[in-house]
Amino acid sequence: MAHVITQPCCNDASCISVCPVNCIHPTPDEPDFTTAEMLYIDPDTCIDCGACIDECPVEAIFPDDSLDEGQERYLQINADYYTDHDVSGGLVAPRKKPPLPAGKELHVAIVGAGPAAFYAAEELVRHSAIRVDMFDRLPTPYGLVRAGVAPDHPSTKGVEKTFASTAAKRTFEYFLNVEVGKHLDHSDLTDHYGAVIYAHGASTDKHLGIDGEDLPGSIAATDFVAWYNGHPDYADRDFDLSAERVVVVGNGNVALDVARILLDSPDKLAKTDIADHALEKLRGSNVSEVVLLGRRGVAQGAYTNAEFLAMGDLPGVDVIIDPDDLVLDAASQAARDAGTLDSTIATKVRIAEEFATREPTEGNKRVVFRFLVSPLAIKGSDQGVETIRCARNEFVNAPDESADNAGDTPRPASSRIAIRPSGEEFDLPAGIVMRAIGYTGLPLEGVPFDGGQGVVPNAGGRVLEEPGGAPLGGVYVTGWIKRGATGGIGMNRLCGQETALAVIADFTEEKLSEPVKSREEIPALIAERGAGRIDGAGWKKIDLAEKAAGKGTGRRRIKIVSIEAMEAAANA
């Protein structure tokens, strides 16, 4: 018997360090780790010890004899990885704590409370001489784990247990409901702390740059996700779901998330922590078809295989793929013919081909995957969107630097497939057009910013005065605002650890200046500027209030969605 990693895998990599036989890959030391969709257990090496089960924060690992029918497909997905990946490397060596300067204490401010922020904090508070204060403008922590992970993926939210463990350390303090840029500025932080880490993420959406994008009914998937997840900035939004068809531009995991939420049964969603206002709106929705547009081919689909596979398990929803759309670029087709196509891509194509053979069921809702299609313009009136004009694309036989290689996320050169318009155009009627082409960062006053990339310029987490410039001493960055809006929890862990280790190295080498003011002045300073700080005890009260509200209805929690109500709960 072997163990199997399934859909909820978050690439946290905690399981790797406890495996006694090195059967879980890719490891953080392997090149594939940064682009891996999930981790995989080698069935030929696993000794069935079960250590990984206890360590997994999202409960994604099961013995192969306890898999349900839907999970059994992951037996093959795990085994397939080992057909074309060399995993002969050794175990991940435990990290040794570097010696810190004797008799010195370092106070670190972290701006942001998402995964990368917590992984940086986790690394820092391993050292008793380092204290961490974590700031966030919202009264609640966890960033996109709370406000971005789909409510029907509760296992993924299990990583919050890891974050809570870090926050429970005596050298960690919350400064929630405190906005940097309003209650504190960059100079305040550098005056009061020996090191400052910016981890405020990529909070706004990317635009298509086409005519009609500003029409009513043309919306950002980021806004829709925040709305149904109960983010207080979006709780008052209203989305018109009276149309039968929604077109989503993009085919990453966010696109699949919004398609599931629009098409899944409201009664099923009612058992999750979806915001009540969204649930009420979805109960009255007329949406029966969601079309996902991907400008490249099926082999370049930006979604993960786990999320793609799960689309086929939605009750009452048909997955529609035209077999003629499953065209491979020349390189992928040649590799497939030779039996050398990357196993992850091969699985992606195989799932699509299986979906394409399914017969639709009369009366079912539909999710339609369209490949090699780009949006040209959105048409409508002041009353809303009516149609979206699209162009069919085709592959360029040889890579062409002038061809359109842009994608939802940066990709290695080997997977940047050149496409161009084929000359065929068509209109798709739609009541909503939703762009799901990624997030981008915004600048903070006083902090260097690269507007072209949407990130803070940095070298290994050390902030630079300008791209390619000198380091700005004592100032660091991590997460999406460091590297762009790519990668999930596992990548954020590596990213956060890299930045934390840069802070520790600079502290050890005595490169950090002593702050000119005491960190102890911060609580009074923010109170004077009108911040209603919520500390760890206040967040626990909010957390308990939400869980208590959900308990009676069998839900994980019922989210409080207004700042005022959160403040009241925290101060109860």
Side-chain angles (χ1 to χ4, degrees):
M1 185 172 71
H3 284 69
V4 180
I5 298 179
T6 63
Q7 180 187 355
C9 178
C10 66
N11 291 35
D12 172 86
S14 299
C15 56
I16 291 173
S17 61
V18 299
C19 177
V21 293
N22 189 31
C23 74
I24 306 176
H25 295 270
T27 71
D29 291 339
E30 294 169 348
D32 289 344
F33 183 85
T34 57
T35 56
E37 294 185 350
M38 57 183 284
L39 304 181
Y40 308 87
I41 292 177
D42 182 357
D44 293 332
T45 309
C46 177
I47 60 172
D48 191 30
C49 69
C52 54
I53 292 179
D54 295 332
E55 200 67 23
C56 178
V58 296
E59 300 178 357
I61 307 177
F62 299 88
D64 61 10
D65 63 355
S66 67
L67 299 172
D68 62 32
E69 185 177 350
Q71 293 169 329
E72 283 182 353
R73 296 168 296 190
Y74 286 90
L75 282 166
Q76 181 176 350
I77 289 173
N78 276 247
D80 283 350
Y81 178 81
Y82 293 91
T83 63
D84 63 348
H85 287 82
D86 177 14
V87 292
S88 57
L91 291 169
V92 179
R95 183 179 294 117
K96 294 181 179 180
K97 292 183 181 180
L100 301 185
K104 285 192 174 184
E105 191 172 72
L106 175 66
H107 287 178
V108 181
I110 299 181
V111 180
F118 269 101
Y119 285 125
E122 178 187 47
E123 192 68 36
L124 292 169
V125 297
R126 295 180 193 276
H127 305 271
S128 58
I130 300 178
R131 302 183 63 88
V132 170
D133 289 347
M134 183 173 286
F135 295 82
D136 199 280
R137 69 181 186 86
L138 295 178
T140 56
Y142 305 154
L144 285 180
V145 172
R146 178 180 170 95
V149 172
D152 59 350
H153 283 12
S155 294
T156 305
K157 297 174 187 282
V159 76
E160 293 175 1
K161 293 180 290 186
T162 301
F163 303 158
S165 177
T166 296
K169 301 289 186 182
R170 64 175 183 82
T171 50
F172 179 101
E173 282 198 47
Y174 273 129
F175 283 77
L176 303 173
N177 213 29
V178 177
E179 185 172 351
V180 174
K182 178 180 178 182
H183 303 120
L184 291 171
D185 59 29
H186 174 66
S187 62
D188 292 322
L189 294 173
T190 54
D191 283 350
H192 291 85
Y193 292 91
V196 181
I197 299 176
Y198 287 98
H200 51 286
S203 57
T204 192
D205 65 288
K206 292 181 179 178
H207 288 260
L208 297 168
I210 60 176
D211 290 343
E213 193 170 7
D214 295 328
L215 286 172
S218 171
I219 62 177
T222 54
D223 293 0
F224 189 69
V225 168
W227 170 75
Y228 67 63
N229 271 317
H231 192 297
D233 289 354
Y234 298 87
D236 293 332
R237 290 286 299 271
D238 185 33
F239 295 99
D240 183 359
L241 304 181
S242 61
E244 293 185 358
R245 177 185 285 155
V246 172
V247 173
V248 181
V249 180
N251 63 4
N253 282 351
V254 171
L256 270 61
D257 284 348
V258 298
R260 281 197 326 277
I261 296 300
L262 286 167
L263 296 174
D264 209 351
S265 162
D267 289 340
K268 181 180 170 184
L269 292 172
K271 299 175 184 177
T272 73
D273 66 357
I274 191 170
D276 281 351
H277 59 254
L279 184 62
E280 181 181 357
K281 191 75 177 183
L282 288 165
R283 287 193 185 281
S285 169
N286 290 330
V287 176
S288 60
E289 180 176 287
V290 177
V291 181
L292 304 177
L293 305 183
R295 62 158 123 201
R296 292 169 297 189
V298 60
Q300 292 80 43
Y303 44 72
T304 60
N305 284 334
E307 294 300 322
F308 189 32
L309 191 62
M311 290 301 294
D313 295 331
L314 282 181
V317 179
D318 290 329
V319 178
I320 307 297
I321 298 178
D322 186 339
D324 291 340
D325 278 356
L326 300 182
V327 179
L328 299 183
D329 58 281
S332 295
Q333 186 62 59
R336 193 183 196 196
D337 292 342
T340 58
L341 184 61
D342 178 88
S343 58
T344 301
I345 296 175
T347 299
K348 199 180 299 284
V349 176
R350 175 170 53 79
I351 294 170
E353 290 175 339
E354 191 273 321
F355 285 156
T357 65
R358 293 187 181 184
E359 290 293 329
T361 301
E362 183 72 25
N364 272 5
K365 297 179 181 179
R366 296 156 47 101
V367 56
V368 183
F369 287 83
R370 299 291 304 269
F371 301 100
L372 288 168
V373 174
S374 291
L376 295 177
I378 300 170
K379 301 178 182 180
S381 66
D382 291 342
Q383 302 304 307
V385 168
E386 296 172 3
T387 62
I388 178 169
R389 184 71 171 171
C390 302
R392 288 282 299 174
N393 298 322
E394 62 185 9
F395 291 115
V396 178
N397 289 330
D400 179 357
E401 290 300 320
S402 66
D404 183 2
N405 274 311
D408 299 324
T409 58
R411 293 172 173 269
S414 60
S415 65
R416 294 182 65 204
I417 305 300
I419 58 173
R420 63 188 173 199
S422 69
E424 178 188 346
E425 297 182 3
F426 60 94
D427 289 327
L428 264 177
I432 292 177
V433 173
M434 197 179 301
R435 57 186 180 272
I437 56 172
Y439 295 75
T440 189
L442 294 174
L444 275 177
E445 187 173 351
V447 182
F449 188 71
D450 181 347
Q453 300 297 317
V455 299
V456 172
N458 71 94
R462 294 178 175 89
V463 172
L464 306 178
E465 293 176 352
E466 59 184 6
L472 195 62
V475 184
Y476 305 83
V477 66
T478 190
W480 282 3
I481 195 65
K482 169 186 174 183
R483 65 182 194 277
T486 63
I489 290 171
M491 188 59 198
N492 277 314
R493 183 171 199 169
L494 281 183
C495 186
Q497 288 174 341
E498 178 188 54
T499 296
L501 291 173
V503 174
I504 293 167
D506 290 349
F507 179 47
T508 301
E509 296 168 18
E510 301 189 13
K511 293 180 178 179
L512 300 178
S513 302
E514 289 289 332
V516 297
K517 298 179 181 179
S518 170
R519 171 262 169 215
E520 306 301 327
E521 300 173 8
I522 289 292
L525 179 62
I526 61 174
E528 180 182 309
R529 295 177 180 175
R533 176 199 175 185
I534 293 175
D535 59 11
W539 156 236
K540 285 182 179 179
K541 291 180 182 179
I542 296 172
D543 188 38
L544 287 171
E546 291 184 338
K547 289 177 177 176
K551 189 174 182 180
T553 56
R555 298 171 66 181
R556 179 175 176 271
R557 66 173 70 236
I558 294 178
K559 289 180 178 175
I560 301 171
V561 298
S562 78
I563 299 292
E564 294 77 11
M566 290 178 184
E567 290 173 336
N571 295 317

